[in-house]
Short mmCIF file of all heavy atoms in Angstrom, two decimals:
data_model
loop_
_atom_site.label_atom_id
_atom_site.label_comp_id
_atom_site.label_asym_id
_atom_site.label_seq_id
_atom_site.Cartn_x
_atom_site.Cartn_y
_atom_site.Cartn_z
N GLY V 1525 4.38 11.53 14.38
CA GLY V 1525 2.98 11.88 14.04
C GLY V 1525 2.60 11.14 12.76
O GLY V 1525 3.34 11.15 11.81
N PHE V 1526 1.45 10.47 12.79
CA PHE V 1526 0.99 9.72 11.59
C PHE V 1526 -0.33 10.38 11.17
O PHE V 1526 -1.36 10.24 11.84
CB PHE V 1526 0.82 8.24 11.91
CG PHE V 1526 0.44 7.36 10.76
CD1 PHE V 1526 0.72 7.76 9.43
CD2 PHE V 1526 -0.16 6.15 10.93
CE1 PHE V 1526 0.39 6.95 8.34
CE2 PHE V 1526 -0.49 5.31 9.87
CZ PHE V 1526 -0.22 5.73 8.58
N SER V 1527 -0.28 11.09 10.03
CA SER V 1527 -1.47 11.77 9.53
C SER V 1527 -2.07 10.91 8.41
O SER V 1527 -1.46 10.71 7.35
CB SER V 1527 -1.07 13.15 9.00
OG SER V 1527 -2.08 13.67 8.18
N MET V 1528 -3.29 10.44 8.62
CA MET V 1528 -3.93 9.56 7.64
C MET V 1528 -5.10 10.24 6.99
O MET V 1528 -5.80 11.04 7.61
CB MET V 1528 -4.44 8.29 8.36
CG MET V 1528 -3.36 7.50 9.08
SD MET V 1528 -4.01 5.93 9.70
CE MET V 1528 -4.17 4.97 8.21
N ASP V 1529 -5.35 9.89 5.71
CA ASP V 1529 -6.49 10.43 5.01
C ASP V 1529 -7.78 9.78 5.48
O ASP V 1529 -8.78 10.44 5.80
CB ASP V 1529 -6.32 10.20 3.51
CG ASP V 1529 -7.61 10.30 2.71
OD1 ASP V 1529 -8.49 11.09 3.15
OD2 ASP V 1529 -7.76 9.65 1.68
N THR V 1530 -7.77 8.44 5.57
CA THR V 1530 -9.02 7.71 5.75
C THR V 1530 -8.75 6.36 6.44
O THR V 1530 -7.62 5.84 6.41
CB THR V 1530 -9.66 7.45 4.38
OG1 THR V 1530 -10.87 6.73 4.55
CG2 THR V 1530 -8.77 6.66 3.45
N LEU V 1531 -9.84 5.80 7.00
CA LEU V 1531 -9.77 4.41 7.46
C LEU V 1531 -10.86 3.62 6.72
O LEU V 1531 -11.20 2.51 7.13
CB LEU V 1531 -10.03 4.34 8.98
CG LEU V 1531 -8.94 4.86 9.90
CD1 LEU V 1531 -9.38 4.78 11.34
CD2 LEU V 1531 -7.63 4.08 9.72
N LYS V 1532 -11.37 4.20 5.63
CA LYS V 1532 -12.52 3.62 4.96
C LYS V 1532 -12.23 2.21 4.42
O LYS V 1532 -12.93 1.27 4.71
CB LYS V 1532 -12.95 4.54 3.80
CG LYS V 1532 -14.30 4.27 3.26
CD LYS V 1532 -14.67 5.24 2.13
CE LYS V 1532 -13.98 4.83 0.82
NZ LYS V 1532 -14.24 5.76 -0.29
N GLU V 1533 -11.15 2.07 3.66
CA GLU V 1533 -10.83 0.75 3.17
C GLU V 1533 -10.14 -0.07 4.25
O GLU V 1533 -9.36 0.50 5.04
CB GLU V 1533 -9.92 0.84 1.96
CG GLU V 1533 -10.61 1.31 0.65
CD GLU V 1533 -10.71 2.83 0.58
OE1 GLU V 1533 -10.12 3.50 1.45
OE2 GLU V 1533 -11.42 3.35 -0.33
N GLU V 1534 -10.42 -1.35 4.25
CA GLU V 1534 -9.84 -2.27 5.28
C GLU V 1534 -8.33 -2.11 5.39
O GLU V 1534 -7.78 -2.15 6.49
CB GLU V 1534 -10.22 -3.70 4.82
CG GLU V 1534 -9.63 -4.82 5.67
CD GLU V 1534 -9.82 -6.15 4.96
OE1 GLU V 1534 -10.98 -6.60 4.81
OE2 GLU V 1534 -8.80 -6.73 4.52
N ARG V 1535 -7.66 -1.90 4.27
CA ARG V 1535 -6.19 -1.85 4.31
C ARG V 1535 -5.72 -0.75 5.22
O ARG V 1535 -4.72 -0.91 5.91
CB ARG V 1535 -5.59 -1.66 2.89
CG ARG V 1535 -5.97 -0.35 2.28
CD ARG V 1535 -4.85 0.23 1.48
NE ARG V 1535 -3.67 0.53 2.29
CZ ARG V 1535 -2.55 0.96 1.78
NH1 ARG V 1535 -2.46 1.10 0.47
NH2 ARG V 1535 -1.49 1.22 2.53
N TRP V 1536 -6.39 0.43 5.26
CA TRP V 1536 -5.92 1.52 6.09
C TRP V 1536 -6.03 1.20 7.56
O TRP V 1536 -5.30 1.74 8.38
CB TRP V 1536 -6.68 2.83 5.75
CG TRP V 1536 -6.46 3.28 4.33
CD1 TRP V 1536 -7.40 3.34 3.34
CD2 TRP V 1536 -5.25 3.75 3.75
NE1 TRP V 1536 -6.84 3.80 2.17
CE2 TRP V 1536 -5.51 4.08 2.38
CE3 TRP V 1536 -3.95 3.92 4.21
CZ2 TRP V 1536 -4.54 4.55 1.51
CZ3 TRP V 1536 -2.96 4.39 3.35
CH2 TRP V 1536 -3.27 4.70 2.01
N GLN V 1537 -7.00 0.33 7.88
CA GLN V 1537 -7.10 -0.08 9.31
C GLN V 1537 -5.88 -0.92 9.66
O GLN V 1537 -5.34 -0.83 10.78
CB GLN V 1537 -8.40 -0.87 9.52
CG GLN V 1537 -9.62 0.04 9.33
CD GLN V 1537 -10.86 -0.71 8.98
OE1 GLN V 1537 -11.06 -1.84 9.39
NE2 GLN V 1537 -11.74 -0.10 8.20
N ARG V 1538 -5.44 -1.75 8.71
CA ARG V 1538 -4.20 -2.53 8.94
C ARG V 1538 -3.01 -1.59 9.07
O ARG V 1538 -2.12 -1.81 9.88
CB ARG V 1538 -3.94 -3.44 7.76
CG ARG V 1538 -4.83 -4.66 7.69
CD ARG V 1538 -4.37 -5.50 6.50
NE ARG V 1538 -5.34 -6.50 6.17
CZ ARG V 1538 -5.30 -7.76 6.59
NH1 ARG V 1538 -4.30 -8.18 7.35
NH2 ARG V 1538 -6.23 -8.62 6.24
#
Side-chain angles (χ1 to χ4, degrees):
F1526 184 22
S1527 164
M1528 303 186 73
D1529 162 30
T1530 180
L1531 289 177
K1532 196 178 78 182
E1533 287 83 7
E1534 175 193 293
R1535 65 143 299 175
W1536 297 114
Q1537 294 156 32
R1538 286 183 193 263

